[in-house]
Amino acid sequence: MNDAKAVDSATDGKTIKAAELFVRCLEAEGVEIIFGLPGEENADLMIALLDSKIRFILVRHEQAAAFMADVYGRLTGRAGVCLATLGPGATNLVTGLADANLDRSPVVAIIGQGSTRRLHKESHQNMDAIAMMRPISKWAQSIIAADSIPEILRKAFKLAEAEKPGVCVIELPEDVAKHQIVGTPMPVYRTRRPTADARAVEQAVAILANAKNPVILAGNGALRDRAAVQLSALAHKTGLPVFNTFMGKGALTRSDPHNLFTIGLQAHDYGNQAMASADAVLVIGYDLVEYSPQFWNAKRDKQIIHVDFLPAEVDQDYAVSADVVGDIAGTLAQISALLDRDYSARLPLHDIGKWQPLREQIAADHGCERNDTGFPIKPQKVLWDVREFLKADDILLSDVGAHKLWIGRYYPAETPNSVMISNGFCSMGFALPGAIGAKFAAPEKRVLAICGDAGFLMNLQDLETAVRYQLNIVVMIWVDGSYGLIEWKQQNEFGKHFPLEFSNPDFELLAQSFGCWGRTLTTTDQLPGALEEAFRQPGPALIAVPVDYRENVKLTERMGQLVAKL
């Protein structure tokens, strides 16, 4: 984005509907796509969109629209936009917006509202939607005066895209949308983020130089705005190993010798044991919702260097020794420059070679079942074949369920934002609509959504949206006929579980009924060919994969016995 964007002056001195001014403000913000499902109270706005270059993607459920905007915003760095009407339309947005806000995705949601003349009393579909939205957004505001539209839209997009990104909600009452008004959009400019305080940077460098066994933990913020490039440079300069959270996948390419892959399972995994041995942790762009520090700093014995756009959250397991606040990429460059100035003779500070046995151990584990021919297919085998098939910058989206833990552990990312996981709010039903948002954001890339059979059916209706817009997304459904993750956790804690089984449709027939290609695997060796065929389709495709979730318990038992060879 340029520092300033020219404002269309076509409305200067001319009276237009407030809804038209609203659309022109969206255009000034660079909005190209809106995902949504309108109602009567959005009618003026929708008619105004007919004369706009903005593309409106009509969806089948408002929650899906919010998930689409969530992923679109996360991939582009610009606010994804979704729209719903009042009442149930607004409430249906809530889960997707809460997901976007907690997962740090820039989103602007537009909701309709009844006439301001009836909001003070009991009336049809009337509710205080703005009060409902405030806990799950950075800012939520109703437009009471039509002449405030340029300011409110500018503020919403500015806040949604500012670090840390999140959700802003704008409510447009139907009578306000009809007002005649003279106005123009406000200029759009980029806010430059501040550099970190020099003394905080010095503290960070001193800790890294004097620690005996420091490591790096990369969170979701390490993927944004050049941060991954600076992270890689710093890892090589210091000789430090890098772990990533589920949402930090791709911070380093999987072939980088400094990459020790993902931590995030609440167990004694390889990475967790290595973190336990660290005396200092350089934490980059990390939110506590990604992986609670109680699991990697239980003894509270580590020096923590917090590098992020905002100060560290207050948590007894996350007491920081250096709070380095500023633009992440810029901060890492400052740390690197200070190392060159004061410690050039010692660089790299630490020997990455001592971590290679652990890295090889984890990499070998990733391929442990690559030649397995058993059926149903083991999760490790599925993910090995998927990783071999997808290119480095193709996009995989994970829904929420047992498969998410397997993807977190067994699917290494090559590039930033090539693996999209809902791990802050952890919303089932995320992946299918999210894949639609991803395909609109990056039409040149292959997009694969991996869902459990439970999560897939939560937003099944928007498969029709993908068919209607002829989007070649592929949805892989891991079939076990159960709420497997809940069962897994109950079994681990209590040695038994509540009955959580359910029945499924015939997924091939289901796909055909929507007018798309579908295949249910019957042997393990069919998966690579099915992926090839699915991505050759003109529209969406489904692959149902019976999965052997007996591996869940086996994984729990193995992780309980692991002893990392450091």
Side-chain angles (χ1 to χ4, degrees), residues 230-296:
Q230 293 294 340
L231 167 60
S232 175
L234 184 63
H236 284 261
K237 180 166 292 187
T238 57
L240 295 184
V242 178
F243 298 95
N244 58 258
T245 64
F246 280 25
M247 293 180 67
K249 278 179 170 290
L252 287 186
T253 183
R254 63 170 170 162
S255 61
D256 192 311
H258 296 260
N259 188 349
L260 293 188
F261 306 105
T262 303
I263 63 169
L265 292 180
Q266 298 170 13
H268 300 294
D269 206 350
Y270 293 113
N272 297 69
Q273 293 184 54
M275 285 288 287
S277 70
D279 59 345
V281 186
L282 174 59
V283 185
I284 301 171
Y286 158 81
D287 293 315
L288 273 62
V289 297
E290 297 184 69
Y291 186 49
S292 174
Q294 68 177 305
F295 298 115
W296 56 265

Side-chain angles (χ1 to χ4, degrees), residues 63-305:
Q63 184 185 108
F67 283 135
M68 293 175 199
D70 174 347
V71 173
Y72 185 92
R74 210 184 304 184
L75 285 172
T76 64
R78 306 189 309 274
V81 182
C82 56
L83 177 144
T85 190
L86 80 172
T91 59
N92 282 346
L93 282 178
V94 166
T95 296
L97 295 183
D99 184 86
N101 201 54
L102 209 54
D103 282 0
R104 307 297 191 182
S105 300
V107 170
V108 171
I110 303 164
I111 56 176
Q113 183 53 280
S115 169
T116 56
R117 293 188 297 275
R118 66 179 178 90
L119 298 184
H120 64 285
K121 61 185 177 181
E122 181 178 326
S123 60
H124 182 64
Q125 292 188 314
N126 180 26
M127 60 169 288
D128 190 346
I130 292 298
M132 177 181 67
M133 295 294 187
R134 284 193 176 117
I136 59 167
S137 64
K138 294 178 74 175
W139 187 62
Q141 180 64 47
S142 184
I143 299 175
I144 304 302
D147 60 4
S148 67
I149 286 174
E151 290 181 350
I152 288 175
L153 265 77
R154 178 79 281 270
K155 182 172 181 177
F157 279 86
K158 180 179 179 179
L159 290 179
E161 295 173 358
E163 291 293 343
K164 293 185 177 186
V167 172
C168 288
V169 182
I170 305 170
E171 181 181 77
L172 181 61
E174 59 181 335
D175 58 329
V176 176
K178 294 179 183 297
H179 285 181
Q180 295 293 315
I181 186 172
V182 175
T184 59
M186 290 189 66
V188 176
Y189 60 90
R190 178 169 182 164
T191 301
R192 298 291 175 179
R193 292 191 286 266
T195 58
D197 176 74
R199 292 185 65 183
V201 173
E202 291 171 0
Q203 283 181 308
V205 169
I207 292 170
L208 292 178
N210 295 316
K212 294 181 179 179
N213 204 33
V215 301
I216 296 174
L217 174 60
N220 73 90
L223 307 184
R224 295 199 293 273
D225 200 18
R226 310 179 322 281
V229 174
Q230 293 294 340
L231 167 60
S232 175
L234 184 63
H236 284 261
K237 180 166 292 187
T238 57
L240 295 184
V242 178
F243 298 95
N244 58 258
T245 64
F246 280 25
M247 293 180 67
K249 278 179 170 290
L252 287 186
T253 183
R254 63 170 170 162
S255 61
D256 192 311
H258 296 260
N259 188 349
L260 293 188
F261 306 105
T262 303
I263 63 169
L265 292 180
Q266 298 170 13
H268 300 294
D269 206 350
Y270 293 113
N272 297 69
Q273 293 184 54
M275 285 288 287
S277 70
D279 59 345
V281 186
L282 174 59
V283 185
I284 301 171
Y286 158 81
D287 293 315
L288 273 62
V289 297
E290 297 184 69
Y291 186 49
S292 174
Q294 68 177 305
F295 298 115
W296 56 265
N297 190 32
K299 295 181 180 179
R300 305 176 185 174
D301 58 349
K302 305 183 193 314
Q303 295 187 88
I304 296 174
I305 305 166

